C-alpha cells in the first residue's frame, strides 16, 4: 500500500490533483489508515498513471473517470510494458533520495512501486542496478554512510526475497542454485541474477554469499540442480585464490550440473583454466540466454 506522496511521485499527478480527482470524480477510492491518511494499492497507481497519460492527450478527466481499466488501456494502446523507457530512473532517484534522508520505509516503497508497475527485467536494469551502483559510488566518495548504503541494499534484499517466494511457488522444472564462493561478500550482483532467474519461471535456490565450494557442490547435487550460477566481483585475487576455489568447486560437482559464472572478477579469469564445462557470462543478457536454453531443454 502506498502513501499519497509516493503515488504522486510515481504517477506524476500532484497531490492536490489526486485529491481533487477523487473528490469530484471518484477516479480511484483509496482506503484510509487508522489516522485517516489515504492508502493506495498498486492497481490504483497503475490506473492513475494511465489517467494522467490520457488527460495529457486531451481526454477530459470527467469522461475518463467512468471508463473501465480495460477501456483506458485500449484508449492509450500502450502495450503492457509499464512506464516508457526513461521514466523508470525516477524510482532509483526516489530510493537514493530516501536513503539520503534516512527514510528506509520510503526507499522500500519506491522499490515495491517499481515492482508493481514494471516488468522484473526492467526493475533490475533500470531501477535496482543503477541505484546500487550509485550507492556504491557515494559510499566510496564518503557521501553515504554504511547505514545509508544498508537502507538501499536492505530494501533490495527484502523485495527480492518476496519476489522469489512468490515466483518459486509457480516455477517448474529443476532448480538453479545461486551463490558466491568463500570470501566473496559482494552479494548484490548474484541477487540480481536470482531475480532474473525467477522472472524466467525457473525455480531459484538462492544460497547467498561466502560459501565453501564443497557446500555449494553438495547442495546442488542433493537438490537436483540443473545449474549453479556463481558471481565473482573482486578482481585482485582472481588470478590466484578465486580461480583455485572455482577449480575445487568443479572437482566436487557432478558433471551433469551446469556451471555459469559472471561478474567483473570472472571476466578476468584465465580462459584456459576454466575448461569446457564452465559457461562464462558477459552480462545479465547472457544469463537470460542460458536460462532460455535450459527451459527449452527441460520442458
Ligand atoms: C557495496 C560494496 C561492498 C560491500 C558489499 C555488501 C554486499 N552485501 O554485497 C562490502 C562492504 C561488504 C564490500 C567489501 C569489500 N569490497 Co567492495 N564494493 C562495494 C561497491 C561499493 C558496490 C558493489 C555492488 O554491490 N554493486 C552493485 C552490483 C549490482 O553490481 P556489481 O557487484 O558490480 O556486479 C555487476 C557485474 O559485475 C555483474 N555481475 C555480478 N555478478 C554477476 C554474476 C553473473 C552470473 C553475471 C552474469 C553478472 C554478474 O552484474 C552487476 C551489474 O552490472 C563496489 C564499488 C562499485 N561502485 O561497484 C566495491 C568493490 C566491488 N569492492 C571492492 C573491494 C576491494 C572490497 C574489499 C576488498 C574492501 C576491503 N578492503 O575490505 C572488501 C572485500 C570483501 C569480500 N571479502 O568480498 C572493489 C573490488 C576491486 C576489484 N575489482 O577487485 C570495488 C570495485 C571498489 C573499488 N573500486 O575498489 N564491498
Amino acid at each position: 500500500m502506498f502513501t499519497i506522496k509516493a503515488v504522486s511521485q510515481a504517477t506524476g499527478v500532484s497531490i492536490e490533483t489526486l485529491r481533487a480527482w477523487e473528490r469530484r470524480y471518484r477516479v480511484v477510492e483509496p482506503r484510509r489508515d487508522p489516522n485517516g491518511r489515504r492508502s493506495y494499492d498498486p492497481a490504483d497507481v497503475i490506473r492513475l498513471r494511465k489517467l494522467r497519460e490520457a488527460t495529457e492527450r486531451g481526454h477530459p478527466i470527467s469522461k475518463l473517470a467512468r471508463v473501465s481499466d480495460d477501456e483506458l488501456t485500449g484508449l492509450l494502446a500502450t502495450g503492457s510494458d509499464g512506464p516508457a523507457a526513461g521514466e523508470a530512473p525516477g524510482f532509483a532517484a526516489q530510493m537514493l533520495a530516501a536513503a539520503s534522508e534516512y527514510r528506509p520505509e520510503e526507499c522500500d516503497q519506491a522499490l515495491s512501486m517499481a515492482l508493481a508497475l514494471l516488468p522484473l527485467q526492467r526493475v533490475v536494469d533500470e531501477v535496482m542496478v543503477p541505484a546500487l551502483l550509485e550507492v556504491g559510488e557515494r559510499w566510496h566518495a564518503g557521501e553515504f554512510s554504511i547505514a545509508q548504503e544498508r537502507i538501499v541494499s536492505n530494501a533490495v534484499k527484502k523485495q527480492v526475497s518476496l519476489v522469489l517466494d512468490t515466483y518459486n511457488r509457480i516455477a517448474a522444472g529443476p532448480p538453479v542454485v545461486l551463490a558466491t564462493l568463500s570470501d566473496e561478500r559482494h552479494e548484490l550482483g548474484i541477487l540480481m541474477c536470482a531475480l532474473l532467474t525467477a522472472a524466467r519461471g525457473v525455480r531459484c535456490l538462492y544460497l547467498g554469499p561466502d560459501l565453501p565450494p564443497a557446500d555449494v557442490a553438495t547442495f546442488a547435487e542433493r537438490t537436483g540442480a540443473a545449474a549453479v550460477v556463481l558471481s565473482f566481483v573482486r578482481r585482485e585475487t582472481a588470478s590466484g585464490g578465486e580461480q583455485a576455489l572455482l577449480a575445487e568447486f568443479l572437482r566436487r560437482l557432478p558433471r551433469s550440473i551446469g556451471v555459469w559464472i559472471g561478474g567483473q572478477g570472472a571476466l578476468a579469469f584465465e580462459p584456459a583454466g576454466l575448461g569446457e564445462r564452465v559457461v562464462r557470462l558477459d552480462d545479465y543478457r547472457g544469463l537470460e540466454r542460458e536460462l532460455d536454453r535450459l527451459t527449452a531443454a527441460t520442458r
Side-chain angles (χ1 to χ4, degrees), residues 46 49-50 53 78-85 87 116-119 122:
I46 293 169
R49 258 186 181 275
K50 288 182 182 161
E53 257 185 74
T78 52
S80 58
D81 261 9
E87 280 192 49
L117 294 175
L118 294 168
R122 286 190 59 192

Side-chain angles (χ1 to χ4, degrees), residues 137 140 183 185-187 231 234-236 264 284:
E137 296 305 325
H140 248 274
D183 211 26
R185 282 168 43 214
H186 297 100
E187 178 184 8
S231 163
R234 295 166 66 191
R235 251 174 308 198
E236 66 263 44
Q264 293 308 313
Y284 292 149

Side-chain angles (χ1 to χ4, degrees), residues 62-253:
S62 53
K63 294 229 170 78
L64 292 173
R66 293 189 294 270
V67 166
S68 73
D69 285 346
D70 284 348
E71 286 167 328
L72 196 53
T73 307
L75 189 71
L76 292 168
T78 52
S80 58
D81 261 9
E87 280 192 49
F91 294 115
Q94 283 171 36
M95 291 174 72
L96 292 165
S100 301
E101 301 292 318
Y102 288 91
R103 295 199 177 124
E105 295 84 4
E106 280 181 25
C107 186
D108 250 23
Q109 198 166 53
L111 184 53
S112 66
M113 179 96 71
L115 284 161
L117 294 175
L118 294 168
L120 272 185
Q121 192 195 326
R122 286 190 59 192
V123 178
V124 171
D125 291 348
E126 298 174 37
V127 182
M128 290 189 183
V129 171
L132 291 168
L133 291 176
E134 179 61 24
V135 166
E137 296 305 325
R138 292 192 191 180
W139 175 70
H140 248 274
E143 292 164 16
F144 256 22
S145 66
I146 295 179
Q148 287 170 310
E149 180 262 314
R150 291 295 150 82
I151 290 177
V152 177
S153 332
N154 288 346
V156 169
K157 284 192 214 165
K158 179 172 151 196
Q159 295 298 333
V160 171
S161 101
L162 289 173
V163 172
L164 292 188
D165 230 39
T166 313
Y167 277 70
N168 271 344
R169 277 184 216 159
I170 49 166
V176 165
V177 172
L178 299 103
T180 77
L181 298 183
S182 305
D183 211 26
E184 176 59 86
R185 282 168 43 214
H186 297 100
E187 178 184 8
L188 298 165
I190 192 76
L191 202 59
M192 297 300 104
C193 293
L195 205 52
L196 294 169
T197 303
R200 281 291 199 269
V202 174
R203 198 150 73 85
C204 180
L205 298 177
Y206 180 70
L207 273 183
D210 198 7
L211 278 111
D215 286 20
V216 183
T218 307
F219 181 84
E221 185 177 3
R222 298 292 292 269
T223 55
V228 178
V229 190
L230 298 173
S231 163
F232 298 87
V233 174
R234 295 166 66 191
R235 251 174 308 198
E236 66 263 44
T237 58
S239 52
E242 304 288 313
Q243 206 159 345
L245 281 175
L246 177 62
E248 183 192 341
F249 174 69
L250 293 173
R251 276 197 301 278
R252 291 172 181 268
L253 189 76

